[in-house]
Amino acid sequence: MLRREWRRKVMQGFSRRAFLAASTAAVILPAMSALAQVAPAREPTMLDALVKAGNLPAVADRLPINPLVVTPLDRVGTHGGDWNSAIVGGGSLSMLFRYQAYEPLVRYAPDWSGVVPNVAEHFESNADATEFTFRLRKGMKWSDGEPFTTEDILFWYEDIFDYDGLNDVGQNHLRAGGKKARFEAVDDVTFKVIFAAPNGLFPLRLAWANDDQTTRAPKHYLKQFHIKYNPDAEQQAKAKGASGWIQLFQREAGLVVDNEFFQNSQRPVIHAWKMAIAPGQSTDRAVAERNPYYWKVDTEGNQLPYLDRIVYQMVADAQVLLLKAMQGEIDLMDQYIATPANRAVLYDSQEQGKFGLYTLTSTETNEMVFQLNLNHPNEAKRKLYNNKDFRAALSMALDRQAIIDTVFIGQGTISQPAVRADDPLYNERLATQFTQYDPDAANALLDKILPNKDGEGFRQDESGKRVTIIFEIDQARATFLDIFQLALPMFQAVGVDVQMRGMDRSLWEVRVRQGIEFDGTAHRFGGNGGIAAILDPRYFIPNTTEALYAKGWQLWYRDPASKGAVEPPQPVKDALARYDRVLGSPDPEVQRKLMAEILEIAADQFYVFGVCLPSDSYGVVRNDMQNVPKTMPNSWGYPTPGPANPETFFKA
């Protein structure tokens, strides 16, 4: 309902200027101390002894002049307690951003209706969206008590984002007109971001998931690893086992690889909880403890967060996690638990485990997206995978209804990765082409491409070698494993030796997210309508690192001269050029028209194929966890449950 209302506003000409005004209305008024509107600041019980012993300043001295006042969803909470969660296997530590570290300059409102101030207490744009001004919170501090100012913002910009050798940090939202944005500090709390061309979607993109790195680079800590500030940085790095200062700096900063950000318990942060026992420091758990300098309070002046710690249990696999959830050992979580197959058993275990289920409204494009590596370094594989008829044949070899009936208990609408049918951007051809189960048609296409077969009936390439495709996936995603168990014999029935290689998420990150030599992979995220489809069109256009099927093309889009960049075909270039115009236009009608053209090109190119549209999902929440919404968007970009203010969750 909320997403449909947001789409309606966008499509009816809700202007960028009006959107910015609505997003910043609460801070356009003259600055006023938020604490003046509530009771005096209250100290978390956990920190009382430290304050009384003189080892920590009083809470009023730890907060900024204008802390952010957060209104709890249901009621004001109490301090204390642990949030029990889990990390499966080696784990994708990017999930930790969702729970404890969603703190960009501006963040999404809980209902995803727009952006609201966060680290920045005020922001505004000039008329053509080429210059944005941000004002930080005066007196705000890092978790070690050091000031957080524009000096940290400029350090990130000048010494990381724009520094040769350290600038491989993505941040496509900071590019417009083919050029990087320019940062200028006005004073210690005010800075400007200046673009070479209009960037009307910048605030919305800044709030996306864990994209905003400007709030994650403490200069006073990181400069010791930077050659510009420490002449001995190279020698120091090699003494610590790194190849050089750049590798050590990237590891300490944690801005290139998500896992590395949470594996450093020494780096100061501005988040509600800071790692005390980082993943990898213990075999059975990781622990994040409250940040004593956290800069938010509730409406009665209680310093947030309410919960003292987040305790992540290290579990071997998704089945162990399911058992823990059934036994009530998980307070709130959905990733790796919320599979269709688990729903019934979790529903039946609610009374025993003293938990309930919350609803996750789907914003993904598909339950699982098959992605062949179109930029494979092997020439023969690259040529084959780039043949649209080959991908179409594999798609038609899938009996999607059988997969839906078995894996999703009959719930799901057959579709390719696409915008939903109820959205104005819906493209029927993109959604429905090659979805029919037709092994005869698949064989006919394959007979033209790979006519020769070996003694076991598998197709051979021109050199007589069996065509084998290995899809490498995160083994903790139980739904993917189930789909592949059904899909593999379907592919093999048309003579293509398709295999699956499951692996721990940490290895998958290295092999697929960072590597280039994999044959294929599978994933499920991306936007399926409205602003989500515009901000995360990963399967419609290779614009970010999330376009795992064409990493070389997205590198070319970001910088044609960058290492690993691969020049895409002209239709892909045309789509990327249109996307630049989408990002630069402040007019929603122009954005819609250009996105419609991009989707037509995507239908022509047929980059990837999928199974079905996701149905609404669910998560597990203990009965004593309070202020947790009953319904949330289900999205990495949102990122669930980050915008719902986890700092206000408490136990009662």
Side-chain angles (χ1 to χ4, degrees), residues 130-263:
T130 58
E131 182 175 304
F132 294 81
T133 302
F134 296 88
R135 186 173 71 236
L136 305 177
R137 299 177 187 278
K138 194 169 186 64
M140 185 171 161
K141 299 176 178 65
W142 293 95
S143 56
D144 61 357
E146 290 294 316
F148 174 80
T149 69
T150 53
E151 189 172 350
D152 297 294
I153 303 290
L154 267 292
F155 172 76
W156 176 85
Y157 173 73
E158 295 174 353
D159 299 322
I160 300 177
F161 178 67
D162 203 39
Y163 196 94
D164 189 31
L166 291 177
N167 50 14
D168 187 22
V169 290
Q171 305 291 283
N172 286 338
H173 58 278
L174 287 173
R175 291 173 170 84
K179 297 181 180 179
K180 292 180 180 178
R182 179 165 49 90
F183 281 47
E184 290 182 0
V186 177
D187 53 41
D188 63 342
V189 294
T190 311
F191 69 98
K192 294 183 178 182
V193 181
I194 303 167
F195 293 95
N199 194 352
L201 294 177
F202 178 54
L204 286 168
R205 298 173 71 205
L206 196 63
W208 186 264
N210 65 336
D211 280 4
D212 183 13
Q213 297 183 354
T214 63
T215 63
R216 304 212 302 268
K219 179 179 179 178
H220 68 281
Y221 173 79
L222 291 176
K223 68 180 182 180
Q224 65 182 301
F225 309 106
H226 200 297
I227 197 71
K228 175 179 173 180
Y229 300 92
N230 179 7
D232 299 324
E234 187 75 12
Q235 182 179 354
Q236 172 185 295
K238 292 181 178 178
K240 292 187 175 184
S243 62
W245 78 268
I246 288 179
Q247 185 186 53
L248 180 62
F249 184 93
Q250 289 177 330
R251 192 167 72 202
E252 292 288 335
L255 298 177
V256 176
V257 181
D258 287 344
N259 278 23
E260 290 180 349
F261 185 81
F262 292 99
Q263 288 171 332

Side-chain angles (χ1 to χ4, degrees), residues 505-573:
R505 177 61 182 250
S506 58
L507 178 58
W508 182 87
E509 291 282 343
V510 173
R511 287 280 308 159
V512 177
R513 185 83 72 184
Q514 302 168 44
I516 60 171
E517 296 187 356
F518 63 96
D519 293 344
T521 190
H523 220 21
R524 72 183 300 269
F525 300 105
N528 68 12
I531 198 64
I534 294 176
L535 292 179
D536 190 5
R538 64 180 72 180
Y539 302 126
F540 314 139
I541 184 174
N543 66 310
T544 74
T545 55
E546 299 297 344
L548 302 175
Y549 58 93
K551 294 165 66 178
W553 292 351
Q554 69 82 18
L555 284 171
W556 180 91
Y557 173 59
R558 192 178 73 189
D559 179 5
S562 64
K563 182 180 179 181
V566 176
E567 184 175 359
Q570 190 59 48
V572 181
K573 289 182 180 178

